[in-house]
Amino acid sequence: MDEETERLDALTQQAGRWLALSASPAERHTTAVVAGPYDRVAWRDVYARSAALRELAAQLLTRHAHAPDLLADVFLCAYQAAPRLRDSAVMAPSRLLHHQVVTALTQSPGFSALRRDTAGDAYAAAMAVLAQASALRGLLERSREVRERTGRADRARQEAEAAAAAVGEALRQAAEKADGQGQVPAPVAAAVRRAVGVAEAAEDEARREDGAAAQAMAAAVPGIRSAARNAASAAAEAVRQEAALMRAWGVDAGETERMPFEERARLAERLRSGRLARWAELIGRFRQMAAGERARKVEHATGELVGVTLGDDLSRVIPSELAVLGVPELRAVFAARYAAGELMLYDSRGEQGTGRGAVIACVDTSHSMYAEGPGGVTREAWSKACALALLDQARHAGRDFVGILFSAADKLQVFRFPGDRPARVTDVLDFAETFLGGGTDFQRPLGTAAKILEEEFDDASRARGDIVLITDDACEVSETWTRLWNEIKRRLDFRLFGIAIATPGTATASGSVLESLCDNLRTVDDLTDVHTTADLFRVI
């Protein structure tokens, strides 16, 4: 062989390994969680809609150049029903920290509880990411050496792949210069050997950096696991608290999942801030108590058995009457007596059954209702919690609900919630948040309530509505108004329940205005005892 030339096949054999690497470099992933197109769209959509997520990403970018990829992985861990992680060997070295973080998250004790509330719910998964913001910031700060080492390993791996590609290019040029016998000019052959030498050196450097990154990662693993456990617990608690807050205000999971992201975020912020957040526990207790009282109701049981009467209610027919049905010749007699309403029935007495008309809560919002009671619970919070439980009661029975907020004679606001359609949560919150202030007047709110029941009677022929007056005070009513009130009450057959909150003894004493107006008056001195009014929800 001419000293000035070398054979192409010999050069190719020397550079074969690098030629194979340049032809098919190993795939390096930048996300640790395997995600399909739908999952990726969910992340991009929630990221575009959430200013808080974008702000968090901007903060983390000051510590970590690949922060958005880390947030995507954390989101997908919470969002997917069964997140699947890639093998760490196929990850880009600079994303190995992400892989370790999400591995630690998925293995933490609180992660399963978190995913029960976030799987398939992009908003809840995004909230879980935000709840872990502090932990992620601290983790990135403490993992500076790992980030630096994995960054170097990433760059070294990229340089090794580029060097392998250079070997392939040198061989391509050698092939172009080869003659018919496969001889390659010496300068071209030398270029191939130099490319191979550079590739070998780059591969050695990449291995060294990979080893250093692995050591740094191993040292950081205990801290990452600890941070991940704390982050998962914090996220689970945050998601759980918001879900409880929504439930306390009567917003079920199906309703929140149907809400647009922005609307749900605004609702959550509204519930977390101000007075509404402080009332959540009390409101939840009232709703649960009302639901429990509904469950205790026994169908068709009206009270204590006192004798036998006549009628056509088959649910109360006495056994001897039913025995007649066993004699074919007497069945016609039974049918005739049933048609005439002359069957013998058990007679009972007890609490009057529930009404059919609207449930109207007249809630006092005068200045004194702003006062705090035992446990720091305001009278306003107590009254609104009771009113919202009455709203639940009305909706469960398919009845209209009307909330009337009142104070002085010139201050009154009406909120209507028809029984034939869902109550918008924003309207419920408007009702709960409104506070008028001022003095106390009973005539206008009660007159307005009676007028509403009269309109309902005229339009839908529904009588027997229920009015609940919730107040902490008493005021005078005129004789003329009282006469008109009694007349319309007899005509429409509605009931007036009174709840006197932390009132002086004279306000509810025998012969007082409240005592004379109300069919059933309760006094609540301890605002922390919601069970004082439990029986109210059995008869409304």
Side-chain angles (χ1 to χ4, degrees):
M1 180 169 45
D2 190 329
E3 293 183 1
E4 297 297 324
T5 62
E6 292 189 35
R7 291 193 60 82
L8 179 62
D9 54 356
L11 292 173
T12 302
Q13 186 176 4
Q14 293 176 19
R17 177 189 174 198
W18 312 106
L19 185 62
L21 289 174
S22 65
S24 56
E27 184 179 11
R28 300 292 176 174
H29 292 278
T30 58
T31 54
V33 182
V34 178
Y38 180 81
D39 294 333
R40 289 192 291 269
V41 167
W43 164 246
R44 287 196 295 267
D45 182 65
V46 78
Y47 186 80
R49 292 172 178 268
S50 173
L53 277 178
R54 296 194 300 276
E55 181 179 347
L56 175 59
Q59 293 173 359
L60 296 183
L61 277 170
T62 62
R63 296 175 170 85
H64 184 36
H66 308 299
D69 289 339
L70 175 59
L71 296 184
D73 277 332
V74 175
F75 170 84
L76 291 170
C77 276
Y79 180 69
Q80 292 181 340
R84 184 164 58 93
L85 304 187
R86 292 188 170 89
D87 190 283
S88 60
V90 300
M91 295 294 297
S94 59
R95 308 310 200 277
L96 286 174
L97 177 62
H98 303 183
H99 191 280
Q100 187 59 53
V101 169
V102 296
T103 298
L105 274 176
T106 55
Q107 293 175 351
S108 61
F111 186 71
S112 295
L114 169 65
R115 203 168 61 246
R116 281 197 295 269
D117 291 320
T118 60
D121 187 338
Y123 174 88
M127 182 184 171
V129 175
L130 294 172
Q132 297 175 77
S134 178
L136 291 175
R137 279 193 290 264
L139 188 151
L140 290 177
E141 188 64 35
R142 292 189 298 274
S143 303
R144 182 175 301 177
E145 182 179 356
V146 174
R147 290 186 286 112
E148 290 176 353
R149 287 294 186 181
T150 54
R152 290 177 191 171
D154 204 5
R155 290 189 294 272
R157 181 55 55 192
Q158 291 172 9
E159 290 172 1
E161 290 173 355
V167 172
E169 176 60 23
L171 280 174
R172 185 188 65 78
Q173 292 181 8
E176 290 178 352
K177 300 291 186 179
D179 59 18
Q181 285 75 41
Q183 301 295 324
V184 178
V188 176
V192 172
R193 287 194 295 272
R194 284 196 300 273
V196 170
V198 170
E200 290 175 345
E203 179 65 19
D204 289 342
E205 179 65 17
R207 288 198 190 96
R208 283 194 295 273
E209 291 295 349
D210 284 344
Q215 289 180 354
M217 184 67 72
V221 163
I224 291 173
R225 288 176 178 167
S226 176
R229 283 196 299 270
N230 294 336
S233 298
E237 181 62 22
V239 172
R240 188 162 47 245
Q241 285 181 358
E242 181 163 308
L245 196 59
M246 293 287 185
R247 286 193 299 271
W249 285 96
V251 186
D252 60 38
E255 185 177 356
T256 55
E257 289 176 8
R258 292 190 297 271
M259 282 184 184
F261 184 90
E262 297 88 342
E263 181 181 345
R264 185 170 173 182
R266 287 194 299 270
L267 173 62
E269 180 59 30
R270 186 176 181 184
L271 292 179
R272 282 194 297 264
S273 61
R275 294 180 296 161
L276 299 185
R278 297 195 297 272
W279 297 353
E281 181 182 357
L282 180 62
I283 290 169
R285 289 165 58 198
F286 258 95
R287 289 182 184 274
Q288 291 172 5
M289 180 262 291
E293 294 303 322
R294 284 198 298 271
R296 289 177 57 188
K297 287 185 178 180
V298 180
E299 191 100 21
H300 304 306
T302 55
E304 177 188 3
L305 180 66
V306 295
V308 176
T309 186
L310 299 180
D312 59 0
D313 186 350
L314 296 177
S315 67
R316 295 190 289 129
V317 174
I318 66 174
S320 61
E321 287 278 31
L322 293 174
V324 171
L325 293 174
V327 182
E329 294 81 0
L330 296 179
R331 289 174 183 170
V333 176
F334 182 93
R337 294 179 61 196
Y338 171 69
E342 296 179 350
L343 295 174
M344 287 188 291
L345 314 175
Y346 285 123
D347 192 15
S348 60
R349 67 185 177 194
E351 290 179 319
Q352 184 180 358
T354 59
R356 295 187 300 271
V359 176
I360 303 178
C362 296
V363 182
D364 187 350
T365 61
S366 60
H367 282 313
S368 58
M369 293 291 286
Y370 219 46
E372 283 194 356
V377 180
T378 66
R379 300 173 184 180
E380 180 200 12
W382 198 99
S383 64
K384 297 288 181 61
C386 182
L388 291 176
L390 289 169
L391 168 59
D392 281 356
Q393 196 79 352
R395 300 205 64 76
H396 186 268
R399 301 167 67 183
D400 292 350
F401 176 82
V402 181
I404 298 178
L405 305 180
F406 71 92
S407 57
D410 60 340
K411 293 184 177 181
L412 182 140
Q413 195 162 343
V414 178
F415 296 82
R416 294 177 181 262
F417 300 91
D420 58 357
R421 53 182 174 274
R424 293 180 58 211
V425 65
T426 51
D427 294 338
V428 174
L429 295 182
D430 288 342
F431 169 62
E433 285 185 307
T434 300
F435 189 84
L436 303 178
T440 305
D441 174 78
F442 289 167
Q443 293 186 179
R444 188 178 176 200
L446 291 178
T448 301
K451 185 177 180 181
I452 290 171
L453 292 178
E454 185 174 31
E455 291 171 351
E456 184 182 47
F457 179 78
D458 293 340
D459 295 342
S461 299
R462 285 200 299 267
R464 288 186 60 201
D466 292 312
I467 301 173
V468 182
L469 175 64
I470 307 174
T471 183
D472 69 338
D473 203 352
C475 67
E476 296 300 321
V477 293
S478 69
E479 292 184 8
T480 301
W481 182 89
T482 302
R483 185 171 60 254
L484 293 174
W485 169 260
N486 290 332
E487 289 176 0
I488 194 171
K489 191 171 183 293
R490 280 193 299 271
R491 181 162 60 86
L492 299 180
D493 191 25
F494 62 77
R495 301 173 293 182
L496 176 61
F497 296 87
I499 302 178
I501 303 176
T503 58
T506 55
T508 56
S510 177
S512 68
V513 172
L514 280 176
E515 196 271 340
S516 62
L517 285 176
C518 298
D519 301 295
N520 189 318
L521 177 62
R522 294 161 173 75
T523 302
V524 181
D525 294 319
D526 183 358
L527 304 185
T528 63
D529 181 15
V530 299
H531 298 285
T532 305
T533 59
D535 63 316
L536 178 68
F537 298 96
R538 286 199 296 273
V539 295
I540 290 183

